[in-house]
Amino acid sequence: MTFPSFATGEVLTAADMNAVGLWRITNCTVTSTGGTAATASNGVITFGSANTSVTVSNAFSADYVNYLILLNGGSAGGTDVARLTLGTTTTGYYDAGKARTYAGADVNISNNNVTGYWYAGETGANGLTGQIMLMGPQTATRTQFSTVITPPRTDAYWLSAGGYLNDATQYTSFKITFGTQAQTGGTIRVYGYRN
């Protein structure tokens, strides 16, 4: 379907509206480790209590090429990285980023073929944060990744990072994992950009 062109006063049909926009993926299923189980309802994945990881299945399909994943809310006992893994792939993750602390210092990050994940978000006492873009996770190409992280704590930083996964696998699922902290509450939402 091609991108429609709208004119002033035109009546928009369902087909017109379905051809554009950002659509929440509502058929996701979820499994979690640690604490009480995470849940999925109408495309909103909600962490349980003290989850150390959450796997979201049926997230990517041929319906969309590019995706947005939003991490938000809840809390953890301390500051920790939210790590993103596609499927069960444990090698080939490349990313680099620039950050600036709220106090004004510059920070650089780089991961050259890191084992197991991208640095995709952060959690802490004031909540989980991450705005993740994935380009082509369900196509047989190298998936590209970018994220914006804005931790809600005074000693934090704003971070923008991007990279790719060095394989050509078609993925349908992803996993968010935490290091030493566990996530209680908060949500994951997955959106597909209409082709």
Side-chain angles (χ1 to χ4, degrees), residues 68-94:
L68 172 67
I69 301 170
L70 298 178
L71 309 176
N72 187 49
S75 66
T79 302
D80 202 356
V81 173
R83 300 173 171 111
L84 173 65
T85 301
L86 295 185
T88 58
T89 297
T90 58
T91 60
Y93 292 87
Y94 291 80

Side-chain angles (χ1 to χ4, degrees), residues 4-186:
S5 178
F6 303 123
T8 302
E10 181 179 0
V11 174
L12 301 180
T13 66
D16 290 333
M17 295 309 296
N18 287 334
V20 298
L22 192 60
W23 296 90
R24 189 168 66 212
I25 309 304
T26 58
N27 63 331
C28 296
T29 58
V30 64
T31 56
S32 58
T33 59
T36 59
T39 60
S41 176
N42 197 30
V44 179
I45 295 96
T46 303
F47 287 90
S49 175
N51 289 157
T52 55
S53 73
V54 168
T55 299
V56 179
S57 301
N58 302 319
F60 314 128
S61 72
D63 292 339
Y64 309 97
V65 175
N66 302 314
Y67 291 83
L68 172 67
I69 301 170
L70 298 178
L71 309 176
N72 187 49
S75 66
T79 302
D80 202 356
V81 173
R83 300 173 171 111
L84 173 65
T85 301
L86 295 185
T88 58
T89 297
T90 58
T91 60
Y93 292 87
Y94 291 80
D95 65 339
K98 275 290 223 198
R100 188 160 182 90
T101 68
Y102 297 142
D106 290 326
V107 179
N108 296 316
I109 68 159
S110 60
N111 294 306
N112 185 9
N113 195 21
V114 71
T115 300
Y117 66 89
W118 285 305
Y119 178 11
E122 185 176 294
T123 192
N126 294 333
L128 177 64
T129 179
Q131 302 168 46
I132 305 157
M133 286 288 306
L134 292 177
M135 286 70 75
Q138 218 282 319
T139 61
T141 59
R142 284 166 173 75
T143 301
Q144 298 170 52
F145 154 87
S146 66
T147 190
V148 175
I149 302 169
T150 52
R153 55 187 174 85
T154 58
D155 62 340
Y157 47 79
W158 171 87
L159 170 71
S160 180
Y164 78 104
L165 179 54
N166 193 18
D167 74 8
T169 302
Q170 293 175 274
Y171 293 98
T172 58
S173 67
F174 67 91
K175 184 177 185 178
I176 300 292
T177 306
F178 303 97
T180 59
Q181 302 297 322
Q183 179 72 20
T184 296

